[in-house]
C-alpha cells in the first residue's frame, strides 16, 4: 500500500511540474467618482480646505478560465 501511495504522489508531482501556469489580466472597473471631496476626511491632519476628486473602482481578474471580481474596499478607523 505504501508503494502505491508513493507512486501516486510522484505521478501527481510530475504532473504539477509539467503544467503551465494560467495567464492572468487585471482591469480596473470604474463605477463612480466623487468630485471635490475633502482630503481631510480621508487623510488625518490634511488641510480642511484641500479638495480632491475620488474614483471608486472594482478589479476584474481574468485567468485560468475564471473571472474574479475583487472589491478592495475602504476602511478607516475614526
Amino acid at each position: 500500500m505504501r508503494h502505491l501511495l508513493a507512486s501516486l504522489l510522484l505521478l501527481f508531482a510530475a504532473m504539477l511540474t509539467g503544467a503551465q501556469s494560467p495567464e492572468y489580466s487585471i482591469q480596473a472597473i470604474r463605477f463612480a467618482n466623487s468630485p471635490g471631496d475633502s482630503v481631510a476626511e480621508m487623510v488625518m491632519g490634511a488641510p480642511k480646505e484641500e479638495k480632491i476628486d475620488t474614483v471608486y473602482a472594482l478589479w476584474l481578474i481574468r485567468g485560468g478560465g475564471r473571472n474574479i471580481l475583487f472589491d478592495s474596499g475602504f476602511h478607516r478607523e475614526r
Side-chain angles (χ1 to χ4, degrees), residues 1-11:
M1 185 67 173
R2 274 188 181 171
H3 295 304
L4 178 61
L5 182 58
S7 297
L8 287 174
L9 286 173
L10 285 173
L11 179 63

Side-chain angles (χ1 to χ4, degrees), residues 57-74:
L58 299 170
W59 301 94
L60 177 60
I61 306 166
R62 291 182 174 167
R66 297 178 183 226
N67 295 320
I68 303 165
L69 192 59
F70 181 76
D71 181 0
S72 57
F74 176 79

